[in-house]
Amino acid sequence: MFNWDKEWNISFAGCGFRSIYHLGALSCLLQWVPHLVHGAAKIGGASSGCLVAAALTVGIPIDQFCAEVLTMAKEARKHTLGVFHPTFSLLRTVRSSLLQKLPEDAHLRASGRLCVSLTRMADRKNVLVSEFDSREELIQVLMCSCFFPVYCGFIPPSYRGVHYMDGALSNNMPLFEQRNTITVAPFSGESDICPIEGTFNFFEVHYGNVSIQVNTGNVHRICTSFLPPSAQMLAEICHNGYMDALRFLRERDLVRTPCLPPSLVEGVKLACCELVKKAELTGLNPTQEEHGWLDHSVTQNLPADIKRILCEACRESHDDVTLWSQLTQFLPVKGVFYLLTILMLPLELTCILTKR
């Protein structure tokens, strides 16, 4: 049983593009036991996990955050080298999103409740930040926690004149040491909400307060944390987070009658897959090929707002598939494109540096 008499915290591990797993888990908690989220004393996170924690503390709806993750992944996948292409900056994209989404009083809402993990560049020591003097300072802290060297660039951001880097490098699960902390991680291990791997595990690796089992499933999960998955795979990851959170609630006898906050209930549109089902009932009978962009089993348990965003993203990616894009999937053609990209990189870098 969960101890409601004591204070509890929630902590989200850094996981790159797999942060959509956290959103699936949160949608489950908000649907079944919303007080478990709203009543948490502190919400912590490192790297992409701190962005999820920040969205919760300042009041950004998780469906909007879900749309941002899908958009960033889509933008990164447009480039031949993905996130490593010189014209794409993941950190700049994150900052632009924060400037657009964070309310003016975000620092006041986050102070005292949000806990962000940072790694100081000078001595590699971990620093936890929970107080923010301004909205810009909050953004600086979040940017520092998301900066992974080389992957996000070579010049680290600073906070109060000190350079920091990804908090996951020193403490990927802030508040872990405090009792009654609910830990969420998209890697199979010992976290409260995490995937369960059916394969045999030889041993576990403990890094940054996160337990990660050594198996092929986690190798794939780590790779897709850095390399943006397709919209279909992101939808599956989100659904897995929902089901793992539901298992956590059932094991602790916390499942009650579904209770969605009013803001999530009012004005929710039907997901496109539900619109197709409605069309079938009215006699339009669309074919499976017209709705082949997303498997119904991946979305059937998710709330309608999350389901709609995932389904629309998968439909857009399905609509973007042309004869030319199919042709470029052949291995010889891809090899030629990669070779041309490598040859063109010096020219592109020269152009970028000249513009700057």
Side-chain angles (χ1 to χ4, degrees):
M1 288 291 292
F2 188 80
N3 192 347
W4 294 99
D5 296 329
K6 296 182 178 180
E7 285 189 351
W8 68 89
N9 310 304
I10 303 177
S11 186
F12 299 99
C15 51
F17 287 99
R18 293 189 77 94
S19 60
I20 201 167
Y21 177 92
H22 298 326
L23 305 181
L26 279 174
S27 66
C28 177
L29 299 180
L30 289 171
Q31 181 178 1
W32 293 96
V33 193
H35 182 62
L36 195 64
V37 178
H38 300 311
K42 283 192 175 183
I43 301 176
S47 193
S48 60
C50 76
L51 299 179
V52 178
L56 274 178
T57 53
V58 304
I60 298 176
I62 58 174
D63 58 325
Q64 291 185 18
F65 192 102
C66 182
E68 289 295 318
V69 175
L70 291 166
T71 301
M72 289 182 190
K74 181 181 178 181
E75 289 298 318
R77 288 174 63 86
K78 285 182 179 179
H79 303 281
T80 308
L81 297 178
V83 294
F84 299 103
H85 198 276
T87 59
F88 179 80
S89 173
L90 184 60
L91 214 61
R92 185 171 61 243
T93 306
V94 171
R95 179 177 177 82
S96 176
S97 177
L98 291 173
L99 288 171
Q100 181 182 2
K101 298 295 182 182
L102 288 181
E104 292 299 325
D105 62 341
H107 59 290
L108 300 177
R109 302 185 190 185
S111 291
R113 192 168 185 231
L114 174 63
C115 182
V116 182
S117 174
L118 306 177
T119 302
R120 193 161 48 215
M121 287 286 294
D123 53 8
R124 306 295 191 273
K125 296 294 184 181
N126 182 252
V127 176
L128 298 180
V129 181
S130 293
E131 299 295 333
F132 314 95
D133 294 337
S134 65
R135 178 173 177 266
E136 177 59 30
E137 189 172 274
L138 171 61
I139 294 176
Q140 290 177 4
V141 172
L142 296 176
M143 295 291 288
C144 287
S145 185
C146 292
F147 178 79
F148 197 93
V150 181
Y151 180 77
C152 292
F154 296 92
I155 303 176
S158 62
Y159 159 63
R160 293 184 178 178
V162 180
H163 291 289
Y164 294 91
M165 58 183 177
D166 200 321
L169 297 174
S170 57
N171 184 3
N172 200 20
M173 195 72 78
L175 309 174
F176 171 82
E177 66 282 352
Q178 298 186 19
R179 300 183 63 181
N180 230 24
T181 294
I182 302 171
T183 55
V184 187
F187 313 109
S188 61
E190 296 180 352
S191 300
D192 293 318
I193 300 177
C194 70
I196 293 181
E197 197 70 42
T199 57
F200 180 74
N201 301 289
F202 291 98
F203 55 90
E204 295 183 358
V205 175
H206 292 264
Y207 182 78
N209 289 336
V210 177
S211 167
I212 302 178
Q213 296 172 346
V214 179
N215 51 53
T216 55
N218 274 341
V219 171
H220 176 262
R221 294 183 184 104
I222 292 174
C223 290
T224 51
S225 296
F226 292 96
L227 304 177
S230 64
Q232 290 81 359
M233 184 178 293
L234 287 171
E236 184 177 348
I237 295 170
C238 183
H239 184 261
N240 291 340
Y242 181 97
M243 297 307 296
D244 291 337
L246 186 60
R247 185 185 66 249
F248 165 80
L249 295 177
R250 286 173 174 168
E251 288 175 350
R252 286 155 181 79
D253 195 26
L254 292 174
V255 175
R256 302 174 183 174
T257 304
C259 179
L260 283 171
S263 60
L264 297 179
V265 177
E266 297 175 359
V268 173
K269 299 179 181 179
L270 289 175
C272 58
C273 50
E274 292 176 335
L275 292 173
V276 170
K277 187 184 297 183
K278 183 178 179 180
E280 291 176 347
L281 294 176
T282 56
L284 296 179
N285 193 25
T287 61
Q288 176 62 31
E289 287 74 15
E290 294 172 341
H291 187 57
W293 50 79
L294 187 60
D295 188 353
H296 176 65
S297 62
V298 175
T299 61
Q300 60 181 346
N301 297 300
L302 293 172
D305 51 349
I306 300 293
K307 187 188 300 184
R308 173 176 53 84
I309 290 172
L310 292 172
C311 207
E312 288 177 354
C314 293
R315 181 182 59 192
E316 290 175 1
S317 63
H318 179 268
D319 292 341
D320 290 338
V321 176
T322 61
L323 179 61
W324 174 250
S325 63
Q326 292 177 347
L327 179 63
T328 56
Q329 294 304 312
F330 288 102
L331 186 59
V333 179
K334 291 177 71 174
V336 173
F337 270 100
Y338 279 118
L339 179 60
L340 290 174
T341 302
I342 293 174
L343 294 176
M344 289 295 293
L345 275 178
L347 180 60
E348 289 190 25
L349 287 173
T350 303
C351 294
I352 293 171
L353 292 175
T354 302
K355 289 181 179 179
R356 289 183 179 179

